[in-house]
Amino acid sequence: GECTECPVGYYSSSSKHIACSKCVANTFTASLGSTSCESCEAGTTSAAGVSSCDICPAGSWVNGSGDCVFCPAGKYSADGSTSCTECQANSFSDEGSTSCDSCPEGETSGAGYSSCVACPAGSYVDSDSGDCTECAVGTFSDSDHSLSCTSCPLNFYSDVSGSTSCTACAEDSTTAAAGASTCEVCSAGNYINGEGVCTACVVGKFSNSAGASSCSNCAANTFSATTGSTSCTSCEDGTTSVAGATVCTNCPAGSFVDESGECTQCSAGTFAASSKSTECSLCSAGKYSSANATACTACAMNTFSSSSGSASCSPCEDGTTNDATGQSTCSDCPAGSYVDSESGECTEC
């Protein structure tokens, strides 16, 4: 009939009890003779009739029933947690995890995800937000797990976001640089070079149609003095040029521009006194010239040329003479005189 102290894990709240009561789950008594049980601290739990509470291990939490339960996939916890924490975006976890793992490169996730997903072709993982982001116009990605998008190369374009490839420009078009969203027609005066760049024709050349693959030389007797020419300019009268010329040159004195556009020497009996001549002039009677002459020469005394365009002068016939240069005829000596053989003059008998 003696009073006995309740053991640890038990209690008695009245002096009239004939037995001690067991502490219920999630409560405890740590000393003998307890009159009540203490509740377990947050994050700890116990079975009925125990003297202490146990901490729920990392990766679990204490549920409403006081049981330690594994955190679900997509969440995690530390020791003694009363709840589990969601994994942040771009990370994941399995059930019962103590931490979250980062998504592999090229994959992403939302908050509380149990796995990561690859960003599809046409998109990439944004390094700041971690979100799958569509490739902008002018760029593409042709595979999943991309960390960035690639600019379309020269002569290719993409005009919609989220492209998995770029489209080639038409033959008469090109792009000004990589990463283009449209192609531009390479206009007349330009050509598409070997690297696919629309380039102005150099001086001396031209293109007269859009999308040319090369520029043409200006023809002989024409020229272009500026880059990007769509046509060539004809040389002025009296000037000429070779094919691909940037300027025209004057035909020199003693020559003229012939029908083919070339500088040609004046023939004997003609002359051109100045440059840029379009024709040669005939020497007048009493004068003559050799080829390439810039002027005609007067016939010497006792010689003559009776017609224009003479290449030489003829000597006066026997018994005739003239007493000046540049004569077109010779005259008989008057009666009572003769032609001196040395001087060529009429001399009195």
Side-chain angles (χ1 to χ4, degrees), residues 6-83:
C6 292
V8 292
Y10 289 76
Y11 74 100
S12 173
S13 60
S14 172
S15 59
K16 296 181 180 181
H17 283 172
I18 58 173
C20 294
S21 300
K22 184 187 290 188
C23 290
V24 298
N26 296 313
T27 65
F28 72 101
T29 61
S31 57
L32 299 172
S34 294
T35 59
S36 63
C37 298
E38 297 180 46
S39 297
C40 290
E41 293 181 358
T44 64
T45 187
S46 71
V50 298
S51 61
S52 63
C53 298
D54 296 321
I55 295 174
C56 281
S60 64
W61 64 294
V62 180
N63 67 9
S65 302
D67 299 324
C68 284
V69 181
F70 282 131
C71 290
K75 295 186 177 184
Y76 71 100
S77 72
D79 289 336
S81 295
T82 58
S83 63

Side-chain angles (χ1 to χ4, degrees), residues 253-291:
S255 66
F256 71 104
V257 180
D258 65 17
E259 291 180 354
S260 68
E262 296 182 356
C263 289
T264 302
Q265 289 185 350
C266 291
S267 59
T270 66
F271 73 101
S274 62
S275 61
K276 296 181 67 175
S277 294
T278 58
E279 61 182 1
C280 297
S281 301
L282 294 174
C283 291
S284 59
K287 295 184 178 182
Y288 74 99
S289 74
S290 57

Side-chain angles (χ1 to χ4, degrees), residues 19-265:
C20 294
S21 300
K22 184 187 290 188
C23 290
V24 298
N26 296 313
T27 65
F28 72 101
T29 61
S31 57
L32 299 172
S34 294
T35 59
S36 63
C37 298
E38 297 180 46
S39 297
C40 290
E41 293 181 358
T44 64
T45 187
S46 71
V50 298
S51 61
S52 63
C53 298
D54 296 321
I55 295 174
C56 281
S60 64
W61 64 294
V62 180
N63 67 9
S65 302
D67 299 324
C68 284
V69 181
F70 282 131
C71 290
K75 295 186 177 184
Y76 71 100
S77 72
D79 289 336
S81 295
T82 58
S83 63
C84 297
T85 304
E86 276 191 337
C87 292
Q88 294 181 338
N90 299 311
S91 64
F92 71 101
S93 72
D94 297 324
E95 183 184 47
S97 293
T98 60
S99 63
C100 299
D101 295 319
S102 296
C103 289
E105 284 191 347
E107 296 186 11
T108 187
S109 71
Y113 275 41
S114 60
S115 63
C116 299
V117 294
C119 289
S123 65
Y124 70 102
V125 179
D126 186 282
S127 58
D128 294 325
S129 68
D131 296 332
C132 285
T133 304
E134 284 190 333
C135 293
V137 294
T139 67
F140 75 102
S141 72
D142 57 6
S143 63
D144 55 19
H145 290 87
S146 293
L147 300 180
S148 62
C149 297
T150 303
S151 293
C152 292
L154 280 173
N155 293 321
F156 287 80
Y157 73 100
S158 72
D159 56 1
V160 294
S161 58
S163 293
T164 59
S165 64
C166 299
T167 304
C169 294
E171 287 187 0
D172 64 350
S173 301
T174 185
T175 57
S181 59
T182 58
C183 297
E184 298 177 356
V185 173
C186 192
S187 59
N190 301 275
Y191 74 104
I192 301 174
N193 69 15
E195 297 177 350
V197 178
C198 189
T199 305
C201 294
V202 298
V203 292
K205 297 192 175 193
F206 75 102
S207 74
N208 57 8
S209 61
S213 59
S214 63
C215 298
S216 301
N217 280 330
C218 291
N221 300 310
T222 67
F223 73 100
S224 74
T226 58
T227 58
S229 293
T230 59
S231 62
C232 300
T233 304
S234 296
C235 292
E236 293 181 355
D237 289 345
T239 65
T240 187
S241 71
V242 296
T246 60
V247 294
C248 296
T249 55
N250 297 339
C251 285
S255 66
F256 71 104
V257 180
D258 65 17
E259 291 180 354
S260 68
E262 296 182 356
C263 289
T264 302
Q265 289 185 350

